[in-house]
Amino acid sequence: MELNIYNVPTDPERSADDIETEYLTIVTSIKRLLKIPVAVKLSPYFTNLSRFARRLDEQGANALVLFNRFYQPDIELETLEVSPNVLLSTPMAMRLPMRWIALLYGRIGANLAATSGIHHGVDALKMIMAGADVTMLCSVLLRKGIDHIRALSAKCANGWRNTNTNRSSKSKAS
């Protein structure tokens, strides 16, 4: 199960520890109720993401999904109303989760899932080489249709075959 805890803290009186404790309480409660693996989808906006990732791992999160993309509304100038204006990800969005996956790889026991900006087979390979156990994609499928998964899978398989095995194992461990 993926827990997508969507919380945008706006209260200046709440501490970072209060917010993290709330997440940890949710994870602990869910883990007590379920016998299936639980993944926690995170935002990149924690004070010390490395420490918080370790705390989630210690509380029993089986995987961490990096990262949640918060919807950021726009203002329509003609109507002066707030507009949801959902923007799909671009390949540039993969750099932040790729960096954090590489930083967390080998430091926590939870599996790491990459999301955001994966549009090509090579993008998935880069995430795997950085330390991801799995990659997820959505925006590219919304743009190109579900059949595009075949092309991505083929490109990923070809890229993997063309990658030197020593280089790939070294990269994941770096």
Side-chain angles (χ1 to χ4, degrees):
M1 167 189 274
E2 180 181 288
L3 292 179
N4 187 343
I5 307 170
Y6 191 95
N7 180 8
V8 180
T10 58
D11 181 355
E13 300 303 316
R14 286 192 76 203
S15 70
D17 192 53
D18 289 344
I19 294 164
E20 289 180 11
T21 299
E22 181 179 38
Y23 274 69
L24 294 167
T25 300
I26 292 169
V27 170
T28 302
S29 298
I30 296 294
K31 285 294 291 182
R32 257 191 249 129
L33 293 171
L34 300 178
K35 302 293 182 215
I36 60 173
V38 174
V40 181
K41 193 168 197 176
L42 297 175
S43 87
Y45 306 119
F46 287 93
T47 302
N48 183 344
L49 185 61
S50 296
R51 180 176 183 270
F52 185 51
R54 187 182 72 214
R55 290 179 74 195
L56 285 165
D57 182 37
E58 290 168 353
Q59 288 299 111
N62 301 95
L64 303 180
V65 181
L66 308 182
F67 286 114
N68 198 351
R69 294 179 63 233
F70 293 115
Y71 295 112
Q72 300 176 8
D74 198 0
I75 297 174
E76 297 294 332
L77 292 178
E78 287 90 34
T79 62
L80 299 177
E81 292 185 12
V82 175
S83 167
N85 196 15
V86 175
L87 297 174
L88 299 177
S89 74
T90 66
M92 283 298 293
M94 72 177 272
R95 291 192 179 178
L96 183 64
M98 185 168 60
R99 175 182 185 215
W100 276 104
I101 285 168
L103 290 170
L104 292 172
Y105 179 78
R107 294 180 177 200
I108 62 171
N111 289 16
L112 298 168
T115 186
S116 294
I118 301 165
H119 288 251
H120 308 284
V122 295
D123 298 339
L125 287 175
K126 287 178 183 181
M127 290 295 202
I128 299 292
M129 291 177 80
D133 295 290
V134 65
T135 62
M136 302 174 182
L137 43 98
C138 178
S139 294
V140 70
L141 298 179
L142 289 173
R143 283 189 181 105
K144 296 187 177 188
I146 195 72
D147 287 338
H148 187 63
I149 202 88
R150 286 187 184 96
L152 288 170
S153 180
K155 294 264 185 182
C156 195
N158 287 337
W160 191 253
R161 276 193 294 277
N162 294 333
T163 301
N164 179 319
T165 304
N166 286 337
R167 262 190 23 224
S168 67
S169 62
K170 279 184 188 175
S171 295
K172 195 160 184 176
S174 297

